[in-house]
Amino acid sequence: MKRLKFILGLVAGTAVLSMMGCDLAVRNPYSNDIVGGVTEDTNNPGYFDLSIANFKGDVYNTDKTAIDAAKAYTVYDEITQAPVKWDNPLNGEDLEGATIIYEIYNYGDVNALGNLWGFYSTDGKFYMTPSMYLGYNATGGYFDANLINYGPGTHKIDSQTWVKIAVVLTGTGYAVYADGNELYNTSTLVSPNVAIEPADFNYEYVLDYLSGAEFFVIGSGNWWTVEANSYIKGIKLISKALDKDALENLFDGEIEDAPEPEINEPQKVNKLSDYYELAYDAKFTKSIGGETAIDAYTYQSNITLDSNPQIWWESPLYGMKAEDLSEGITIQADVYGDDIDNVNGFDALLTFYNNSQVIPLNVLSIMEGGAVHINSDAMGGFFDNVTSLKKNEWVTVSLVFKNDGSVEFYQDNSKVNGGNQDTLLIGNPATPVDKNYEKITEYFTETARHIAIGVGFADFWKAGFIDLDSGIKNIRIYTKAISVGED
C-alpha cells in the first residue's frame, strides 16, 4: 500500500482514569453528540477514566462471563459517527507529558493499520493500532513507530489474551510498555521500524496536539478503514508522563527495558579481476523473478548509518587517485521491477552518497524502476532518465562514465532515450552535467564514500516513505568505461 505523508501537527499530555467524580456525558453512540463518560479521580487530579459501559457489546471471557470492554470496530465514515468517542479530557491542558493506559485483547488477525484508538483533531492525527504501531501526522511533521512496510513492526504483543499497555509521552519522545516490559522507545527504534520527518522532530508538537484534540475515539482515528479485531477496556488518560516508579506500581513489578537495536555492519566488497562486486548477506535476500536477490525496500528518511540497519557498503572508489580512474567508471546492476505499475521513479534503489552530510544533495542514484538521477555540484549539474524497466523481467542497468566527461545509460544492451546526458535532461531549467571528467572522478574519490540500498534520505526527494517494489543483484563497479555487454 502506498501513501504520501500529510504534514500537520500534534501534542501529548497527561491524564489517568478513576471511576470517581462527575460523569461528564453519556449519550447515543451513533449520534453526533459526545457519547463517552469521562470521570476525573478526585484524589488524583489529571487522572481521567473513560467509561465504556454503554457500548461494551458482546465481549466475554473463555468461561462466557461478561467483560466490561468494548469492541474496537471500524466505522467507515468520518469521526462524527465514531462508535465510541469521548470529549478529550486533555483538551486545554498545558501538557509537559501524557500517559495513555488501556488493556487490549486481539481476538483475530492483528492488522497493523487497524483502527484501535486515536485522538482526533482537524489538524491531524495521533493513534495506535493493534500491532503497537504508534503514529503521528500533524503540525511539525510525522513519525511512524513500530511499522515496517505498512505491516507489523518487530515489537509485538500476544494475541488471544488481555495485555495491559502504557504509552508514555514527553517533550523528548515516547515509550511503549506491555505487561511490564518496555516494548520500545524513541532511542531503541531504528529503520525500518521507524520513519520520521524531520530528523530533528520536536515532540513538543505531539503534546500540543493532545491539548488541542477535540475527541478521543476507538474504532477510528487513523488514516485507514481497516478493522482492529480487538477488544479494549480500562482506558485511562493521564495529563503527565508516568515515571518508572509509577509504571512499576501499575504493572506490579520491575520494568524490563526495551532491547537495544541491532546495527548492521557494512557489507563486503570483493575485488575481482577487473571489477568490484558488492556482496551481501543472505538474510537480505529472497527469491525474486526466480532469482536470489536483495529484497529492496525503502529505509526511511534522514536516518544515518550508525542508527540504521540498512544494506550498505564502503565505496571501493573512495580514496582512489585520479589516475586509478583514467579509463573511466562503470556502475552496473541487475534490477527487477516486481510491481512496476506501482514503482516510484523518485525513490532511490542504489545510491552513492556521503553519510556525514545531514541532507546529502551530492548523490548519484539508480532509481526504482531502473531510472537514473544525478544531482551533484561535484559533477557540475544533474541529469535524469525516467524510463522504467520492463515489468517482471530482470534487466541489466549500466551507467558508463567516459574519460571525456560524457555519461551513457543502458538497459540491457540498448541506450535509453539516446543514452547520454544531452538527451536525458529534465528540469526547468535543466542544468547538464558539464562533461568535466575531473569533477566526476573527484566526486567518486573524495565525496561519495558510501553506497546503500533503498536509502530514501539519500536521493534528492528524500522519498523515504514510499515502498520500493524492486529487486537488485550482481552489483558491479568497474574502474573503466566498459563496452556494455562485455564480461
Side-chain angles (χ1 to χ4, degrees), residues 84-357:
V84 183
K85 73 175 180 179
W86 296 262
D87 271 330
N88 174 21
L90 305 183
N91 183 280
E93 297 285 332
D94 184 12
L95 297 172
E96 296 183 358
T99 305
I100 301 103
I101 296 170
Y102 61 97
E103 293 185 56
I104 180 175
Y105 186 105
N106 288 326
Y107 60 83
D109 292 338
V110 179
N111 294 324
L113 305 181
N115 280 272
L116 182 61
W117 61 257
F119 287 83
Y120 176 76
S121 166
T122 56
D123 293 330
K125 298 186 179 182
F126 176 64
Y127 51 88
M128 182 166 251
T129 75
S131 69
M132 300 295 100
Y133 156 39
L134 185 68
Y136 170 82
N137 198 330
T139 300
Y142 75 87
F143 64 79
D144 290 328
N146 196 37
L147 182 74
I148 299 178
N149 285 348
Y150 299 98
T154 302
H155 308 286
K156 305 172 185 177
I157 61 171
D158 293 331
S159 296
Q160 307 297 324
T161 188
W162 283 102
V163 181
K164 181 177 285 188
I165 304 297
V167 180
V168 180
L169 305 165
T170 70
T172 59
Y174 51 78
V176 175
Y177 301 85
D179 281 348
N181 297 322
E182 186 181 30
L183 290 181
Y184 61 84
N185 61 51
T186 313
S187 62
T188 62
L189 281 188
V190 297
S191 181
N193 265 303
V194 65
I196 188 167
E197 182 71 30
D200 58 350
F201 179 85
N202 184 351
Y203 291 92
E204 294 286 349
Y205 283 116
V206 181
L207 297 175
D208 291 340
Y209 176 88
L210 291 183
S211 66
E214 185 177 2
F215 302 119
F216 178 85
V217 300
I218 65 174
S220 189
N222 69 27
W223 301 97
W224 302 273
T225 52
V226 177
E227 297 285 351
N229 295 334
S230 305
Y231 300 131
I232 190 169
K233 67 178 181 178
I235 307 169
K236 301 178 186 295
L237 306 183
I238 306 173
S239 57
K240 67 179 181 180
L242 294 187
D243 59 21
K244 190 170 184 178
D245 288 343
L247 288 168
E248 289 179 345
N249 183 61
L250 173 71
F251 291 111
D252 296 323
E254 188 173 340
I255 299 292
E256 183 174 335
D257 292 336
E260 292 297 320
E262 178 183 354
I263 306 299
N264 286 329
E265 298 297 321
Q267 299 295 288
K268 186 177 180 180
V269 178
N270 296 325
K271 176 137 184 5
L272 302 179
S273 57
D274 59 352
Y275 64 90
Y276 293 90
E277 174 192 64
L278 303 189
Y280 39 85
D281 193 297
K283 69 182 180 180
F284 297 118
T285 67
K286 73 175 184 180
S287 179
I288 300 174
E291 303 287 340
T292 299
I294 296 175
D295 181 16
Y297 60 91
T298 296
Y299 293 93
Q300 306 291 349
S301 49
N302 290 334
I303 297 178
T304 58
L305 292 174
D306 59 1
S307 66
N308 185 5
Q310 61 196 7
I311 309 171
W312 66 284
W313 300 264
E314 295 276 359
S315 172
L317 304 183
Y318 185 79
M320 284 188 176
K321 297 178 181 179
E323 52 265 33
D324 296 330
L325 302 176
S326 61
E327 298 181 39
I329 303 164
T330 302
I331 301 163
Q332 196 172 69
D334 297 338
V335 179
Y336 185 93
D338 61 351
D339 190 9
I340 214 68
D341 291 339
N342 292 319
V343 298
N344 175 27
F346 297 119
D347 218 354
L349 176 59
L350 179 72
T351 298
F352 287 73
Y353 69 111
N354 193 307
N355 182 61
S356 65
Q357 299 168 342

Side-chain angles (χ1 to χ4, degrees), residues 23-28 34-38 51 54-55:
D23 188 355
L24 300 184
V26 179
R27 300 193 180 95
N28 183 345
I34 305 305
V35 299
V38 178
S51 171
N54 281 13
F55 25 71

Side-chain angles (χ1 to χ4, degrees), residues 59 67 74 94 133 172 213 266 308 355 399 416 426 466 481:
V59 184
I67 299 171
T74 298
D94 184 12
Y133 156 39
T172 59
N308 185 5
N355 182 61
L399 187 59
V416 178
I426 62 172
I466 305 260

